[in-house]
mmCIF file of all heavy atoms in Angstrom:
data_model
loop_
_atom_site.group_PDB
_atom_site.id
_atom_site.type_symbol
_atom_site.label_atom_id
_atom_site.label_comp_id
_atom_site.label_asym_id
_atom_site.label_seq_id
_atom_site.Cartn_x
_atom_site.Cartn_y
_atom_site.Cartn_z
ATOM 1 N N LEU H 363 43.887 209.104 -65.169
ATOM 2 C CA LEU H 363 43.874 210.569 -65.246
ATOM 3 C C LEU H 363 42.814 211.051 -66.219
ATOM 4 O O LEU H 363 41.995 211.920 -65.905
ATOM 5 C CB LEU H 363 45.260 211.007 -65.698
ATOM 6 C CG LEU H 363 45.495 212.465 -65.988
ATOM 7 C CD1 LEU H 363 46.342 213.030 -64.881
ATOM 8 C CD2 LEU H 363 46.218 212.631 -67.294
ATOM 9 N N THR H 364 42.781 210.444 -67.387
ATOM 10 C CA THR H 364 41.770 210.880 -68.360
ATOM 11 C C THR H 364 40.379 210.462 -67.901
ATOM 12 O O THR H 364 39.413 211.191 -68.105
ATOM 13 C CB THR H 364 42.084 210.291 -69.739
ATOM 14 O OG1 THR H 364 42.433 208.928 -69.572
ATOM 15 C CG2 THR H 364 43.221 211.018 -70.395
ATOM 16 N N ARG H 365 40.294 209.294 -67.261
ATOM 17 C CA ARG H 365 38.984 208.874 -66.780
ATOM 18 C C ARG H 365 38.464 209.855 -65.733
ATOM 19 O O ARG H 365 37.282 210.210 -65.733
ATOM 20 C CB ARG H 365 39.073 207.470 -66.183
ATOM 21 C CG ARG H 365 37.701 206.850 -65.974
ATOM 22 C CD ARG H 365 37.814 205.487 -65.352
ATOM 23 N NE ARG H 365 38.680 204.613 -66.128
ATOM 24 C CZ ARG H 365 39.492 203.715 -65.568
ATOM 25 N NH1 ARG H 365 39.561 203.614 -64.263
ATOM 26 N NH2 ARG H 365 40.240 202.961 -66.319
ATOM 27 N N LEU H 366 39.356 210.288 -64.861
ATOM 28 C CA LEU H 366 38.929 211.257 -63.848
ATOM 29 C C LEU H 366 38.402 212.518 -64.510
ATOM 30 O O LEU H 366 37.392 213.086 -64.086
ATOM 31 C CB LEU H 366 40.109 211.590 -62.931
ATOM 32 C CG LEU H 366 39.839 212.631 -61.863
ATOM 33 C CD1 LEU H 366 38.961 212.058 -60.784
ATOM 34 C CD2 LEU H 366 41.130 213.144 -61.249
ATOM 35 N N ALA H 367 39.059 212.940 -65.575
ATOM 36 C CA ALA H 367 38.618 214.162 -66.237
ATOM 37 C C ALA H 367 37.264 213.961 -66.913
ATOM 38 O O ALA H 367 36.341 214.736 -66.704
ATOM 39 C CB ALA H 367 39.656 214.589 -67.272
ATOM 40 N N TRP H 368 37.164 212.898 -67.713
ATOM 41 C CA TRP H 368 35.961 212.754 -68.544
ATOM 42 C C TRP H 368 34.784 212.229 -67.775
ATOM 43 O O TRP H 368 33.639 212.573 -68.062
ATOM 44 C CB TRP H 368 36.251 211.827 -69.739
ATOM 45 C CG TRP H 368 37.194 212.438 -70.711
ATOM 46 C CD1 TRP H 368 38.497 212.116 -70.879
ATOM 47 C CD2 TRP H 368 36.918 213.491 -71.627
ATOM 48 N NE1 TRP H 368 39.064 212.899 -71.836
ATOM 49 C CE2 TRP H 368 38.104 213.757 -72.327
ATOM 50 C CE3 TRP H 368 35.780 214.248 -71.918
ATOM 51 C CZ2 TRP H 368 38.203 214.730 -73.294
ATOM 52 C CZ3 TRP H 368 35.875 215.212 -72.897
ATOM 53 C CH2 TRP H 368 37.073 215.452 -73.580
ATOM 54 N N LYS H 369 35.037 211.344 -66.823
ATOM 55 C CA LYS H 369 33.912 210.710 -66.154
ATOM 56 C C LYS H 369 33.566 211.369 -64.831
ATOM 57 O O LYS H 369 32.565 211.020 -64.218
ATOM 58 C CB LYS H 369 34.225 209.231 -65.896
ATOM 59 C CG LYS H 369 34.248 208.426 -67.167
ATOM 60 C CD LYS H 369 34.239 206.954 -66.834
ATOM 61 C CE LYS H 369 34.009 206.126 -68.070
ATOM 62 N NZ LYS H 369 34.153 204.698 -67.765
ATOM 63 N N PHE H 370 34.380 212.257 -64.371
ATOM 64 C CA PHE H 370 34.084 212.854 -63.069
ATOM 65 C C PHE H 370 34.049 214.374 -63.151
ATOM 66 O O PHE H 370 33.028 214.993 -62.851
ATOM 67 C CB PHE H 370 35.129 212.388 -62.047
ATOM 68 C CG PHE H 370 34.837 212.818 -60.643
ATOM 69 C CD1 PHE H 370 33.833 212.200 -59.915
ATOM 70 C CD2 PHE H 370 35.563 213.831 -60.051
ATOM 71 C CE1 PHE H 370 33.556 212.590 -58.621
ATOM 72 C CE2 PHE H 370 35.295 214.220 -58.761
ATOM 73 C CZ PHE H 370 34.288 213.598 -58.047
ATOM 74 N N LEU H 371 35.142 214.952 -63.605
ATOM 75 C CA LEU H 371 35.224 216.412 -63.544
ATOM 76 C C LEU H 371 34.304 217.069 -64.568
ATOM 77 O O LEU H 371 33.598 218.027 -64.246
ATOM 78 C CB LEU H 371 36.671 216.859 -63.761
ATOM 79 C CG LEU H 371 37.646 216.440 -62.667
ATOM 80 C CD1 LEU H 371 39.041 216.928 -62.982
ATOM 81 C CD2 LEU H 371 37.213 216.987 -61.316
ATOM 82 N N VAL H 372 34.277 216.558 -65.793
ATOM 83 C CA VAL H 372 33.449 217.180 -66.825
ATOM 84 C C VAL H 372 31.963 217.087 -66.465
ATOM 85 O O VAL H 372 31.266 218.112 -66.473
ATOM 86 C CB VAL H 372 33.768 216.574 -68.210
ATOM 87 C CG1 VAL H 372 32.755 217.044 -69.234
ATOM 88 C CG2 VAL H 372 35.166 216.948 -68.632
ATOM 89 N N PRO H 373 31.437 215.900 -66.118
ATOM 90 C CA PRO H 373 30.028 215.869 -65.719
ATOM 91 C C PRO H 373 29.747 216.755 -64.519
ATOM 92 O O PRO H 373 28.726 217.452 -64.476
ATOM 93 C CB PRO H 373 29.786 214.399 -65.362
ATOM 94 C CG PRO H 373 30.900 213.647 -65.923
ATOM 95 C CD PRO H 373 32.035 214.564 -66.134
ATOM 96 N N LEU H 374 30.678 216.741 -63.560
ATOM 97 C CA LEU H 374 30.459 217.558 -62.373
ATOM 98 C C LEU H 374 30.401 219.034 -62.746
ATOM 99 O O LEU H 374 29.547 219.790 -62.252
ATOM 100 C CB LEU H 374 31.587 217.304 -61.373
ATOM 101 C CG LEU H 374 31.245 217.492 -59.906
ATOM 102 C CD1 LEU H 374 30.155 216.533 -59.489
ATOM 103 C CD2 LEU H 374 32.476 217.301 -59.061
ATOM 104 N N ALA H 375 31.286 219.441 -63.643
ATOM 105 C CA ALA H 375 31.296 220.842 -64.056
ATOM 106 C C ALA H 375 30.026 221.193 -64.822
ATOM 107 O O ALA H 375 29.467 222.286 -64.667
ATOM 108 C CB ALA H 375 32.524 221.116 -64.914
ATOM 109 N N LEU H 376 29.545 220.259 -65.628
ATOM 110 C CA LEU H 376 28.319 220.507 -66.388
ATOM 111 C C LEU H 376 27.131 220.623 -65.447
ATOM 112 O O LEU H 376 26.291 221.526 -65.587
ATOM 113 C CB LEU H 376 28.097 219.382 -67.396
ATOM 114 C CG LEU H 376 28.982 219.440 -68.645
ATOM 115 C CD1 LEU H 376 28.805 218.194 -69.469
ATOM 116 C CD2 LEU H 376 28.649 220.676 -69.460
ATOM 117 N N ILE H 377 27.074 219.704 -64.482
ATOM 118 C CA ILE H 377 25.971 219.766 -63.526
ATOM 119 C C ILE H 377 26.062 221.063 -62.730
ATOM 120 O O ILE H 377 25.052 221.702 -62.416
ATOM 121 C CB ILE H 377 26.007 218.531 -62.604
ATOM 122 C CG1 ILE H 377 25.633 217.290 -63.413
ATOM 123 C CG2 ILE H 377 25.071 218.692 -61.429
ATOM 124 C CD1 ILE H 377 25.976 216.008 -62.742
ATOM 125 N N ASN H 378 27.304 221.443 -62.465
ATOM 126 C CA ASN H 378 27.506 222.684 -61.720
ATOM 127 C C ASN H 378 26.953 223.882 -62.479
ATOM 128 O O ASN H 378 26.470 224.844 -61.882
ATOM 129 C CB ASN H 378 28.994 222.863 -61.444
ATOM 130 C CG ASN H 378 29.247 223.908 -60.399
ATOM 131 O OD1 ASN H 378 28.435 224.067 -59.499
ATOM 132 N ND2 ASN H 378 30.331 224.626 -60.532
ATOM 133 N N LEU H 379 27.007 223.789 -63.793
ATOM 134 C CA LEU H 379 26.432 224.839 -64.625
ATOM 135 C C LEU H 379 24.938 224.962 -64.351
ATOM 136 O O LEU H 379 24.399 226.071 -64.189
ATOM 137 C CB LEU H 379 26.685 224.479 -66.090
ATOM 138 C CG LEU H 379 26.987 225.603 -67.071
ATOM 139 C CD1 LEU H 379 28.143 226.426 -66.586
ATOM 140 C CD2 LEU H 379 27.300 225.008 -68.424
ATOM 141 N N GLY H 380 24.284 223.798 -64.272
ATOM 142 C CA GLY H 380 22.853 223.804 -63.953
ATOM 143 C C GLY H 380 22.600 224.357 -62.576
ATOM 144 O O GLY H 380 21.646 225.133 -62.349
ATOM 145 N N THR H 381 23.430 223.965 -61.631
ATOM 146 C CA THR H 381 23.271 224.473 -60.269
ATOM 147 C C THR H 381 23.388 225.993 -60.261
ATOM 148 O O THR H 381 22.651 226.686 -59.553
ATOM 149 C CB THR H 381 24.343 223.862 -59.360
ATOM 150 O OG1 THR H 381 24.467 222.486 -59.659
ATOM 151 C CG2 THR H 381 23.989 224.045 -57.917
ATOM 152 N N THR H 382 24.328 226.475 -61.042
ATOM 153 C CA THR H 382 24.496 227.924 -61.109
ATOM 154 C C THR H 382 23.229 228.582 -61.658
ATOM 155 O O THR H 382 22.799 229.641 -61.163
ATOM 156 C CB THR H 382 25.675 228.273 -62.019
ATOM 157 O OG1 THR H 382 26.720 227.359 -61.780
ATOM 158 C CG2 THR H 382 26.151 229.675 -61.779
ATOM 159 N N ALA H 383 22.664 227.934 -62.661
ATOM 160 C CA ALA H 383 21.432 228.482 -63.227
ATOM 161 C C ALA H 383 20.349 228.538 -62.155
ATOM 162 O O ALA H 383 19.659 229.561 -61.985
ATOM 163 C CB ALA H 383 20.980 227.623 -64.403
#
Side-chain angles (χ1 to χ4, degrees):
Chain H
L363 174 108
T364 44
R365 194 182 305 144
L366 177 72
W368 292 105
K369 290 193 170 174
F370 186 74
L371 294 180
V372 170
L374 208 61
L376 284 173
I377 290 165
N378 195 32
L379 216 55
T381 317
T382 320

